[in-house]
Amino acid sequence: MAILVVGSVALDEVETPFGGRKDALGGAAVYFGLAASYFTSVQLVGVVGEDFAQEHLDLLAARGMDLGGLVTAPGKTFRWGGRYGYDFNARDTLYTDLNVFADFDPTIPAAFRQTPYVFLANIDPTLQLRVLDQVASPEVVGLDTMNYWIERTPEKLKRVLERIQILLINDSEARELAGEPNLHKAALAILEAGPRLLVVKKGEHGALAFARDLLFAVPGLPMENVVDPTGAGDAFAGGFLGYLAASGDLSTEGLRRATIYGSVLGSFCCEAYSVDRLVDLSRGEIEERFETFRELTRFEASRTAGTQ
Ligand code: AMP
């Protein structure tokens, strides 16, 4: 089944202690869409400015993405800059220039309105509600948000949460959303607010999936080669929902596998600047890393009878 993503398409600037990139292709919808494109067909709704290079559009189209909902508006593309220190789990936002994104009012093309899987990337909850008003009762709606919206538009966000099935956020967002420092208690409170499944991403420390009948933990993959973690959360969401859309398997086993595929795509994303690692993966590499996660967490009970 196809998946519709609505969110930012950006030109990013990233600085790390080891190097950086300017004018790099980024944006939540881009990272999500590229990751999901390894599993299913992706329809993208977003906005770019007149400065957005054709080569970026070609790259997205080459991954089979349907760009029928990507509008080019007069002005400049959304630009975001971030700086990492030695700890890649922490980053400073250097600037957020909304440019054409400031007036983004997503119009879902008629051809995308019946799409059964929808991902609302991190945008104003008012716009997320407008998207939901335009689509015909999708089977699964996934959602991302951030502290900015949790603090500024809690009522709107509450209304969005009532209309989605899967929430994918990071641990600090989960705590803030629930107003509860204990992550497990926070997760249970969030499940009361609407979503059937909550996936809490914890950067290099992995992810947790919570549902009424599911508690699943994935470790972070110990990686020697972390270059740029920008977009890893969106790539995680793309792998997660892409797998679900392709398999249609919403059983607890399917959700566990989706959490691993999310971790796989998130980990690949970190291995190069911008989207570089997400454009030429092979299905074999993805499956191999899936197996790496399996091996990482595999253990067997002792054959001897218990401890003394
Ligand atoms: P992540 O590392 O998962 O937080 O995603 C980073 C991506 O999100 C970058 O490519 C940015 O262009 C994009 N981004 C940063 N800030 C925002 C924002 N306020 N709204 C939408 N997208 C954003």
Side-chain angles (χ1 to χ4, degrees), residues 130-152:
R130 268 188 227 161
V131 171
L132 291 176
D133 289 340
Q134 293 176 62
V135 293
S137 51
E139 278 172 40
V140 173
V141 180
L143 180 86
D144 186 15
T145 191
M146 67 175 179
N147 300 84
Y148 184 91
W149 304 117
I150 295 169
E151 287 156 22
R152 284 176 179 72

Side-chain angles (χ1 to χ4, degrees), residues 117-289:
Y117 277 68
V118 174
F119 182 63
L120 303 170
N122 168 32
I123 51 172
D124 185 338
T126 307
L127 300 183
Q128 292 175 328
L129 286 170
R130 268 188 227 161
V131 171
L132 291 176
D133 289 340
Q134 293 176 62
V135 293
S137 51
E139 278 172 40
V140 173
V141 180
L143 180 86
D144 186 15
T145 191
M146 67 175 179
N147 300 84
Y148 184 91
W149 304 117
I150 295 169
E151 287 156 22
R152 284 176 179 72
T153 58
E155 286 306 315
K156 282 270 162 53
L157 188 55
K158 192 163 166 272
R159 283 173 49 200
V160 184
L161 288 174
E162 287 164 2
R163 295 176 63 180
I164 60 126
Q165 286 72 42
I166 301 178
L167 177 64
L168 301 112
I169 49 179
N170 67 35
D171 46 352
S172 75
E173 291 158 351
R175 289 189 175 94
E176 188 164 355
L177 180 60
E180 165 59 59
N182 177 291
L183 194 55
H184 198 162
K185 283 189 191 163
L188 296 177
I190 290 169
L191 290 176
E192 290 294 313
R196 277 189 276 139
L197 179 74
L198 168 69
V199 181
V200 178
K201 298 166 288 177
K202 300 197 298 168
E204 71 172 328
H205 304 299
L208 292 165
F210 294 93
R212 270 181 224 292
D213 53 354
L214 177 69
L215 173 55
F216 182 54
V218 188
L221 183 68
M223 292 168 63
E224 285 178 49
N225 178 34
V226 177
V227 174
D228 173 15
T230 305
D234 303 304
F236 181 107
F240 185 98
L241 282 170
Y243 170 74
L244 287 186
S247 67
D249 183 358
L250 297 171
S251 68
T252 51
E253 288 311 310
L255 295 173
R256 284 167 185 258
R257 274 192 289 276
T259 312
I260 299 293
Y261 279 115
S263 306
V264 167
L265 271 294
S267 70
F268 278 125
C269 180
C270 299
E271 289 182 348
Y273 286 110
S274 178
V275 298
D276 288 5
R277 194 67 180 100
L278 295 181
V279 295
D280 61 357
L281 286 169
S282 69
R283 200 52 218 220
E285 284 176 297
I286 291 172
E287 294 307 327
E288 197 180 312
R289 189 156 293 182

